[in-house]
Amino acid sequence: MVDEDGMARRYGSPRAVVGPGGAPTRRAFGAPYESITFPTATRARANLTITLAAQPVFELSTSTPVSRRLRRSIRRCGERTLFERKTLELADLRRIDALTLQHGMELLRLGPGDCGIVPAFWRSLTENRASYALLCAEAQHSPNPGSLLVEVVGGPEQAPLDVIDDITGRFETGSRGLILHIAPDIDTARRLRGARVSCLAIDFAGVAHDGARDWQAAVDLIAAARQSCGQILLINLRPERALGAQAAGATHAVFATLEPRMV
């Protein structure tokens, strides 16, 4: 990921996209996603399928893709509803994260200068702080592995700031960093002010941002998050709100797909 503070030197630069005549070109917001699906099972012998889809992450100031983020879906086999994470044991969370990292790196295919974002559960990092970092180091074993960001979900916004700082200090390296995925709540964003976090992620699928009144509330949320962190990644942002989101303080976005649905 790249920002005005020179994060490109740490996280790598975007892979060039060259059009006719050798001139750089911008990739469409709705670029097709590559995906992979694999099975696993819980300790309670429930069969799961996990799907990872690689979404382009856009730098809002240039409208160019600078990274790819893995969207993860976990389902019980044979059911259409999303599997509830609260029924998973810690051992299940660790196994899912380990498999996500293994298959996700194959999907991302990071090279020199590339940057990828993989999801992980907060408890995977907090319960055994060295284990997951070691898995990431093994996944980045090539001489020029590219940069890896871990988007942690499931509780980081509720953790004490000293715990967040400890996890960040132990985990981040020159080619690896953390993104805190937080609830879309202004008070939550403000509480993180002062934490040593490189990037906050907010899922706008749960934030009304269509009408003018809704958008003003969304702007306040973005501004509060930016006051707490130098980089703000908005997930499922409507493409027509890109310029407004940048003006409010967002730096990066994964755009919502606005394909028509058949009912």
Side-chain angles (χ1 to χ4, degrees):
M1 296 175 69
V2 185
D3 71 357
E4 64 274 16
D5 296 324
M7 295 298 282
R9 290 192 297 272
R10 176 178 182 185
Y11 291 151
S13 57
R15 179 180 295 171
V17 181
V18 180
T25 185
R26 296 185 178 185
R27 192 178 306 168
F29 287 160
Y33 298 163
E34 292 183 83
S35 65
I36 186 172
T37 299
F38 53 91
T40 188
T42 69
R43 291 187 62 180
R45 299 182 183 276
N47 292 320
L48 307 178
T49 57
I50 301 174
T51 298
L52 304 176
Q55 304 172 300
V57 178
F58 287 83
E59 184 184 41
L60 291 178
S61 63
T62 60
S63 300
T64 54
V66 294
S67 179
R68 290 204 300 168
R69 169 187 181 263
L70 295 182
R71 181 185 64 193
R72 180 168 63 183
S73 301
I74 305 171
R75 300 178 185 273
R76 283 186 186 270
C77 293
E79 295 185 5
R80 299 178 62 186
T81 56
L82 185 67
F83 188 76
E84 294 290 341
R85 285 200 303 267
K86 64 183 180 182
T87 63
L88 295 174
E89 301 178 20
L90 177 58
D92 299 327
L93 301 181
R94 288 178 176 171
R95 177 171 176 77
I96 290 170
D97 281 345
L99 290 171
T100 295
L101 185 61
Q102 174 189 338
H103 292 283
M105 293 298 282
E106 296 174 0
L107 182 61
L108 291 172
R109 299 186 297 276
L110 298 180
D114 292 338
C115 177
I117 302 174
V118 299
F121 295 108
W122 177 245
R123 290 180 65 195
S124 288
L125 275 65
T126 57
E127 297 292 339
N128 190 340
R129 303 185 181 187
S131 177
Y132 188 77
L134 180 60
L135 289 176
C136 290
E138 292 175 350
Q140 294 180 282
H141 66 277
S142 64
N144 298 293
S147 298
L148 183 66
L149 302 180
V150 178
E151 181 183 343
V152 289
V153 299
E157 68 270 46
Q158 300 169 359
L161 295 188
D162 60 336
V163 173
I164 293 175
D165 287 345
D166 181 63
I167 293 293
T168 302
R170 290 171 179 263
F171 188 84
E172 290 195 337
T173 68
S175 62
R176 188 169 65 238
L178 290 182
I179 298 174
L180 294 190
H181 187 118
I182 65 171
D185 177 75
I186 287 182
D187 290 338
T188 297
R190 288 173 176 164
R191 193 185 75 82
L192 293 172
R193 190 177 302 175
R196 296 195 298 269
V197 180
S198 300
C199 181
L200 296 179
I202 302 174
D203 191 348
F204 262 47
V207 177
H209 59 292
D210 290 339
R213 181 177 300 177
D214 292 336
W215 179 242
Q216 184 55 53
V219 165
D220 294 341
L221 172 61
I222 296 170
R226 184 58 188 268
Q227 289 174 0
S228 296
C229 188
Q231 293 189 107
I232 306 298
L233 168 63
L234 303 183
I235 301 164
N236 291 311
L237 179 71
R238 295 180 66 87
E240 66 270 21
R241 292 298 190 185
L243 292 178
Q246 181 194 357
T251 57
H252 300 81
V254 174
F255 292 100
T257 56
L258 303 179
E259 300 151 349
R261 296 182 178 180
M262 302 296 292
V263 179

